[in-house]
């Protein structure tokens, strides 16, 4: 090999090392040198292609991580076999768990993280809900992924605490009367059905306020609302734990007294009427009522029991006129 060919070959090797295309050509036309030149050219092309793939892969990884960090979900990646934490996005680091220090933001050990780190193979997609000690709710969706040549699981964690609290509030509001705070008609029928199945005996009381329309017409609807809230308050004081009371609608209320006969329930309602009559509000307050004593063996429908109590209540009202 001539000195010139040696310099050309050295330059080509340096180009390969520095990831640059090779230049120049060996002058010698001997077969061994031609084969050497072909090998160097092949090695150069292969290294350039491999480096391009690596560069592209790094770019894709950077893009992938940027997308993960832009998500509103917390993202935790764990090794499938061991449960070791491989990655957490910025939201996790800022609001949940700092991977560098191994500390949780809330200061306590976390059952959710213990569950995420449980090793084991998952099939397809897995979803579950988790409630932590801090009364927060999370939805977790887990998928198997290949993470840097490692079989891993990516967990997408969504804080749904506000959503759960809103749903719970709406559910309560759906069964509550806004003015009195009592249960409303919506849950009355189902509660009567439950009592019929569970209670050996209970008194169903249908209650209707006397003269509410007159109060509204003469004193205004604010006084009418005051009348309703005052009666509901006194009725509520007459029930024990396990009893049921609701504003059935308009000026009507329903009470279920557990374990009481018709006579015992009538005594309670009579006492409430006495208290209302003693209220110095500038107008008279009272109510009429009908009572049905229901026993398990009677096998009544809830609607039938209400209808009977309603008829008795109107009989009572007519007797007082």
């Amino acid at each position: 090999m001539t000195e010139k060919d040696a310099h050309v070959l050295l330059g080509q090797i340096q180009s390969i090392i520095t990831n640059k295309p090779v230049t120049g050509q060996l002058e010698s036309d001997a077969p061994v040198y031609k084969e050497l030149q072909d090998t160097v050219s092949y090695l150069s092309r292969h290294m350039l292609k491999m480096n391009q793939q690596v560069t592209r892969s790094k770019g894709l990884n950077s893009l992938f991580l940027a997308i993960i960090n832009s998500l509103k979900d917390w993202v935790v990646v764990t090794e499938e076999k061991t449960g070791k934490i491989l990655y957490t996005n910025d939201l996790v680091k800022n609001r949940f768990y700092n991977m560098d220090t191994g500390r949780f933001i809330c200061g306590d050990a976390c059952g959710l993280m213990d569950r995420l780190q449980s090793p084991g193979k998952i099939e397809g997609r897995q979803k579950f809900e988790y409630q932590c000690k801090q009364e927060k709710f999370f939805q977790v969706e887990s998928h198997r992924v290949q993470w840097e040549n490692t079989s891993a699981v990516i967990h997408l964690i969504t804080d749904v605490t506000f959503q759960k609290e809103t749903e719970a509030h709406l559910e309560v509001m759906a069964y509550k009367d806004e003015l009195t705070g009592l249960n409303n008609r919506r849950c009355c029928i189902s509660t009567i059905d439950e009592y019929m199945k569970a209670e050996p005996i209970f008194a169903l009381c249908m209650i209707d306020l006397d003269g509410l329309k007159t109060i509204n017409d003469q004193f205004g609807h604010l006084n009418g609302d005051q009348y309703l809230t005052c009666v509901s308050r006194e009725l509520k004081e007459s029930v024990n734990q396990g009893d049921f009371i609701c504003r059935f609608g308009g000026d009507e209320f329903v009470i279920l007294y557990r374990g009481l006969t018709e006579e015992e329930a009538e005594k309670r309602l009579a006492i409430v009427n006495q208290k209302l009559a003693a209220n110095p509000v500038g107008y008279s307050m009272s109510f009429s009522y009908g009572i049905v004593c229901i026993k398990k063996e009677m096998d009544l429908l809830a609607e039938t029991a209400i209808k009977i109590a309603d008829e008795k209540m109107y009989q009572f009202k007519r007797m007082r006129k």
Side-chain angles (χ1 to χ4, degrees):
M1 175 181 289
T2 65
E3 184 176 349
K4 184 178 179 181
D5 279 348
H7 282 293
V8 171
L9 185 59
L10 180 61
Q12 290 177 343
I13 293 172
Q14 289 174 339
S15 294
I16 292 173
I17 293 172
T18 57
N19 194 29
K20 296 177 182 178
V22 297
T23 58
Q25 192 74 19
L26 298 180
E27 291 182 345
S28 177
D29 57 359
V32 67
Y33 292 120
K34 185 177 184 304
E35 187 176 347
L36 177 61
Q37 180 63 72
D38 291 342
T39 302
V40 169
S41 298
Y42 171 80
L43 180 61
S44 173
R45 290 194 302 273
H46 182 73
M47 291 299 293
L48 282 171
K49 185 176 180 180
M50 186 176 69
N51 285 326
Q52 286 172 355
Q53 289 176 341
V54 170
T55 302
R56 189 180 302 114
S57 175
K58 287 181 178 178
L60 288 173
N61 285 340
S62 298
L63 177 61
F64 179 60
L65 294 179
I67 291 172
I68 288 179
N69 271 320
S70 69
L71 295 176
K72 294 182 179 180
D73 295 324
W74 299 355
V75 179
V76 176
V77 181
T78 57
E79 191 174 36
E80 188 175 44
K81 288 185 178 180
T82 65
K84 178 184 176 182
I85 300 172
L86 302 176
Y87 172 82
T88 60
N89 69 345
D90 289 343
L91 276 179
V92 172
K93 295 174 184 175
N94 295 333
R95 301 183 187 178
F96 178 44
Y97 172 75
N98 189 319
M99 185 175 171
D100 297 328
T101 63
R103 294 182 179 275
F104 294 95
I105 302 304
C106 64
D108 298 326
C110 183
L112 174 58
M113 184 61 83
D114 290 340
R115 183 163 179 177
L116 297 183
Q117 289 186 271
S118 299
K121 188 175 182 179
I122 69 169
E123 298 296 337
R125 178 181 66 173
Q126 288 187 354
K127 296 180 73 173
F128 67 90
E129 285 193 356
Y130 182 84
Q131 181 181 3
C132 75
K133 295 178 181 178
Q134 305 293 325
E135 299 300 320
K136 288 185 174 292
F137 292 87
F138 302 96
Q139 284 182 348
V140 182
E141 185 172 317
S142 303
H143 304 261
R144 290 181 68 197
V145 295
Q146 198 69 17
W147 188 271
E148 295 180 348
N149 300 320
T150 302
S151 294
V153 181
I154 184 167
H155 308 278
L156 306 177
I157 308 163
T158 306
D159 187 341
V160 293
T161 305
F162 178 75
Q163 177 185 331
K164 288 285 186 181
E165 290 174 347
T166 302
E167 289 173 355
H169 176 70
L170 291 175
E171 185 175 354
V172 168
M173 292 304 294
Y175 291 95
K176 290 292 183 183
D177 175 62
E178 188 175 356
L179 177 65
T180 63
L182 300 177
N183 296 302
N184 62 21
R185 182 174 186 150
R186 184 173 297 187
C187 66
C188 183
I189 301 298
S190 60
T191 303
I192 294 173
D193 284 333
E194 291 172 5
Y195 270 56
M196 287 178 169
K197 294 174 183 176
E199 301 297 331
I201 181 175
F202 68 94
L204 187 157
C205 310
M206 176 64 74
I207 297 164
D208 183 85
L209 271 61
D210 298 325
L212 177 61
K213 185 178 185 304
T214 302
I215 301 300
N216 283 329
D217 293 343
Q218 294 184 0
F219 298 92
H221 285 274
L222 287 177
N223 281 283
D225 288 348
Q226 184 183 17
Y227 186 4
L228 284 163
T229 54
C230 184
V231 171
S232 68
R233 184 169 58 250
E234 294 293 348
L235 288 173
K236 192 174 181 179
E237 289 185 3
S238 77
V239 302
N240 295 325
Q241 186 175 3
D243 294 337
F244 174 82
I245 178 172
C246 81
R247 183 183 176 190
F248 196 67
D251 55 0
E252 293 183 326
F253 295 82
V254 169
I255 295 181
L256 307 180
Y257 289 121
R258 296 168 63 232
L260 294 193
T261 64
E262 184 175 329
E263 293 75 17
E264 291 168 334
E266 187 172 0
K267 287 179 182 179
R268 287 205 191 182
L269 295 180
I271 292 173
V272 175
N273 253 335
Q274 291 172 9
K275 290 181 178 180
L276 290 173
N279 266 304
V281 291
Y283 49 83
S284 62
M285 292 192 297
S286 64
F287 56 79
S288 303
Y289 51 82
I291 305 172
V292 180
C293 182
I294 300 177
K295 298 178 181 179
K296 204 176 234 185
E297 60 269 20
M298 293 171 68
D299 196 26
L300 283 177
L301 293 174
E303 292 83 353
T304 304
I306 288 176
K307 186 176 181 180
I308 295 171
D310 199 48
E311 290 173 354
K312 286 190 172 186
M313 181 267 293
Y314 277 107
Q315 290 174 8
F316 183 94
K317 189 179 283 285
R318 285 193 293 269
M319 288 172 55
R320 298 179 70 182
K321 288 184 178 179

